[in-house]
Amino acid sequence: MEIFYSNDIDGGLLRLDAEESAHCVRVLRHREGDAINVIDGRGTLLRCTLTDADPKGATARIDSREPGFGAHPYRLTMAVCPTKNIDRYEWFAEKATEIGVDVLAPVIGERSERKVLKTERLERLVKSAAKQSLKGAVPEVLQPQSVRDFILAAPDGAVKMICYCFEGPKHTVADVLHGIRREASSGGTLQLPPFSQVFRGQLQSPTAASSVPEICILIGPEGDFSPEEADLALSRGWAPVTLGASRLRTETAALVAATMVYAGF
Amino acid sequence: MEIFYSNDIDGGLLRLDAEESAHCVRVLRHREGDAINVIDGRGTLLRCTLTDADPKGATARIDSREPGFGAHPYRLTMAVCPTKNIDRYEWFAEKATEIGVDVLAPVIGERSERKVLKTERLERLVKSAAKQSLKGAVPEVLQPQSVRDFILAAPDGAVKMICYCFEGPKHTVADVLHGIRREASSGGTLQLPPFSQVFRGQLQSPTAASSVPEICILIGPEGDFSPEEADLALSRGWAPVTLGASRLRTETAALVAATMVYAGF
């Protein structure tokens, strides 16, 4: 199933940008009248009819809408310190999008070797991964911020987990998720402010209603968090979690954690 | 922790090959009398003293042995069809080694676009991943074989799962693992012939005692298995499993499945 992306939607019509138009018209040779599938990146699949096969800016009529296309029953924010080798981070972003993630938050720890990250490549990459894995929602990529700022800004209501290597009692991701399900089944309040609202004042995916649990997992850099960062997180109610006995690279730990959440719902 | 690899062990002495010797002596500048850590690739960490710092073939005295170093409580064979883009397959092999896998079996399906695979690169890659992730056992890489031959050769006693996209009832990996644990707790027999014994007549890792459950997961190519391959597997007692609602690439599906096993023990 070939899927295009558009954020230029006006009522019953939409326009594909230059890149998508060229792919649709030049590469796939679609013509006026052809049926095409478009995601709005906010969770909805739009079944359309191509009305103007302009390879520089194609337009289409929206025939029907499929909200919650490829959605998952939780909202997951993965706050992961960028790896020294950026390929590994981009690989994580692509795989996490396939499995299911809503917000990618690059965070810079005190021990991070990489202090800067350009998000443009990540944004292109998760958009293409969302189309490839048939998801209506494209993960939101936040601007880099310090681990400390991220910890302080995280909403109290969200279920927050931090993975680090220090000694001390830790939960498993499954234990924490079990707690969420118990709360949900007991009619507990899961009306949580999505991280993206907190961080950007704007929520990308309308399908990610706050009626699903809001989960955030914080993964440190190669050199782990500083004790101060870890203490701050614990003092703010973050649950220390273990990902098991294996010693995992940063990007592997992040994907294992995202997979454990995916498997838990 | 810097770890070297040697399969040239004679009683209380071992020799590093040219590559490992150069890394140990030239790059890390170890000298006679230095303490070094070496894995035998079969599950044991050897704490040694360097006795001859020859950069072409260093030798060391074994001071103590740590069996089951970085071991996991199951034996997992991942039989995965090679991807068209081999980078994606090698990425899976590296990540699976970090998380925990014992045997990598490249299998060629009727719908596989890639029909051949050289295993040398994979073998080098999993060896380095095992050292990096502090595991005494290096996953065994089998020679490529057809999906059909692999299904027919798989031992009856092993817990076998096949992931495909056809309609029909499916288990989750967690359900299947729950069945294993129930059998184990009830003192059921888990004395299973490891896949590697079946396929190579030789078991790489002595730590992988057959007292742990032997699990095999079969992952198809981009174009999925053929109906005949799927029917053959079901007729031989393979459990059809689902990896959830997300549409995953071959290598992502394989890693998600391996992670679900890792998370289940």
Side-chain angles (χ1 to χ4, degrees):
Chain A
M1 174 173 177
E2 182 66 40
I3 290 189
F4 302 97
Y5 166 85
S6 171
N7 60 0
D8 182 359
I9 300 168
D10 179 9
L13 289 175
L14 64 79
R15 169 182 283 261
L16 301 181
D17 66 17
E19 188 180 350
E20 293 284 272
S21 298
H23 185 61
C24 177
V25 177
R26 287 237 168 79
V27 179
L28 299 171
R29 306 195 167 280
H30 280 300
R31 295 288 170 259
E32 280 84 359
D34 284 4
I36 62 170
N37 297 301
V38 183
I39 57 169
D40 65 359
R42 306 156 72 86
T44 300
L45 175 73
L46 307 161
R47 302 195 181 276
C48 308
T49 303
L50 198 60
T51 51
D52 178 5
D54 179 342
K56 292 196 173 59
T59 54
R61 183 186 68 240
I62 300 171
D63 302 318
S64 69
R65 291 176 156 82
E66 194 176 319
F69 179 68
H72 44 267
Y74 54 86
R75 259 187 74 79
L76 175 62
T77 295
M78 290 301 302
V80 182
C81 291
T83 49
K84 207 167 36 166
N85 171 350
I86 200 62
D87 291 352
R88 296 181 168 276
Y89 200 74
E90 293 180 346
W91 160 81
F92 156 71
E94 177 192 299
K95 295 309 172 196
T97 303
E98 281 180 56
I99 293 164
V101 68
D102 299 277
V103 181
L104 292 175
V107 288
I108 311 299
E110 291 173 10
R111 297 183 181 174
S112 285
E113 295 191 56
R114 171 181 290 275
K115 303 285 189 188
V116 293
L117 176 80
K118 290 201 166 45
T119 57
E120 292 72 15
R121 272 177 58 96
L122 277 182
E123 283 160 0
R124 273 203 305 281
L125 194 147
V126 296
K127 188 185 295 178
S128 119
K131 292 192 295 179
Q132 199 274 340
S133 57
L134 306 186
K135 294 185 183 302
V138 174
E140 182 170 10
V141 180
L142 302 182
Q143 285 303 308
Q145 60 192 298
S146 74
V147 163
R148 185 180 170 78
D149 290 348
F150 185 86
I151 290 171
L152 292 172
D156 296 337
V159 176
K160 305 182 288 287
M161 303 180 231
I162 179 170
C163 304
Y164 55 69
C165 306
F166 304 119
E167 290 302 312
K170 292 180 186 150
H171 310 280
T172 66
V173 173
D175 291 342
V176 175
L177 297 183
H178 184 67
I180 298 179
R181 276 193 298 275
R182 213 170 39 237
E183 185 187 5
S185 60
S186 71
T189 60
L190 287 172
Q191 307 304 319
L192 310 172
F195 277 100
S196 49
Q197 275 182 352
V198 174
F199 289 121
R200 286 234 307 228
Q202 171 252 359
L203 170 58
Q204 184 183 61
S205 164
T207 66
S210 52
S211 59
V212 299
E214 175 78 20
I215 300 164
C216 177
I217 300 182
L218 188 51
I219 304 282
E222 284 86 346
D224 206 353
F225 295 106
S226 71
E228 294 71 24
E229 288 169 331
D231 291 344
L232 177 65
L234 298 195
S235 72
R236 305 282 292 199
W238 291 65
V241 295
T242 172
L243 299 178
S246 286
R247 181 217 213 188
L248 307 172
R249 286 173 179 271
T250 292
E251 76 278 6
T252 316
L255 198 74
V256 163
T259 303
M260 286 172 168
V261 172
Y262 171 70
F265 283 88
Chain B
M1 177 173 172
E2 182 67 39
I3 290 190
F4 302 96
Y5 166 85
S6 170
N7 59 2
D8 183 358
I9 301 168
D10 180 7
L13 289 176
L14 64 78
R15 167 182 285 259
L16 301 180
D17 66 17
E19 188 181 349
E20 294 284 271
S21 298
H23 184 61
C24 176
V25 177
R26 287 237 168 80
V27 180
L28 299 172
R29 306 196 165 279
H30 280 300
R31 295 289 169 257
E32 279 84 359
D34 285 3
I36 61 170
N37 296 300
V38 183
I39 56 169
D40 65 358
R42 307 155 70 88
T44 300
L45 175 72
L46 308 161
R47 302 195 181 276
C48 307
T49 302
L50 199 58
T51 51
D52 178 5
D54 179 344
K56 292 197 173 59
T59 55
R61 183 187 68 242
I62 300 172
D63 301 318
S64 69
R65 292 176 156 81
E66 196 177 317
F69 178 68
H72 43 267
Y74 53 86
R75 259 188 73 80
L76 176 61
T77 295
M78 291 300 303
V80 182
C81 291
T83 49
K84 206 167 36 168
N85 171 350
I86 200 63
D87 292 352
R88 296 181 167 277
Y89 200 74
E90 293 181 345
W91 160 81
F92 156 71
E94 177 191 300
K95 295 308 171 198
T97 302
E98 281 179 56
I99 294 165
V101 67
D102 300 278
V103 181
L104 292 174
V107 288
I108 311 300
E110 291 174 9
R111 297 182 180 174
S112 284
E113 296 190 55
R114 172 181 290 274
K115 302 284 189 190
V116 293
L117 176 81
K118 290 203 167 43
T119 57
E120 292 71 14
R121 272 177 59 95
L122 277 182
E123 282 160 1
R124 272 203 306 279
L125 193 146
V126 297
K127 188 184 296 180
S128 120
K131 292 193 294 180
Q132 200 275 339
S133 56
L134 305 187
K135 294 184 183 301
V138 174
E140 182 169 12
V141 179
L142 302 182
Q143 284 304 308
Q145 58 192 299
S146 74
V147 164
R148 184 180 172 77
D149 289 348
F150 186 86
I151 291 171
L152 291 173
D156 296 337
V159 177
K160 304 182 289 286
M161 303 180 231
I162 179 171
C163 304
Y164 55 68
C165 306
F166 303 119
E167 290 301 312
K170 293 181 185 144
H171 310 279
T172 66
V173 172
D175 291 342
V176 176
L177 296 183
H178 184 66
I180 299 179
R181 277 192 297 276
R182 213 170 39 237
E183 184 187 7
S185 60
S186 71
T189 61
L190 286 171
Q191 306 304 319
L192 311 170
F195 277 98
S196 49
Q197 274 181 355
V198 174
F199 289 120
R200 289 235 304 229
Q202 171 252 358
L203 170 57
Q204 184 183 60
S205 165
T207 66
S210 52
S211 59
V212 299
E214 176 78 19
I215 301 165
C216 177
I217 300 182
L218 189 51
I219 304 281
E222 284 85 346
D224 206 354
F225 295 107
S226 71
E228 294 70 24
E229 289 169 329
D231 291 344
L232 177 65
L234 298 195
S235 73
R236 305 281 295 199
W238 291 64
V241 295
T242 172
L243 299 178
S246 287
R247 181 218 215 188
L248 306 173
R249 286 174 179 270
T250 292
E251 77 278 6
T252 317
L255 199 73
V256 163
T259 302
M260 286 173 168
V261 172
Y262 171 70
F265 282 89

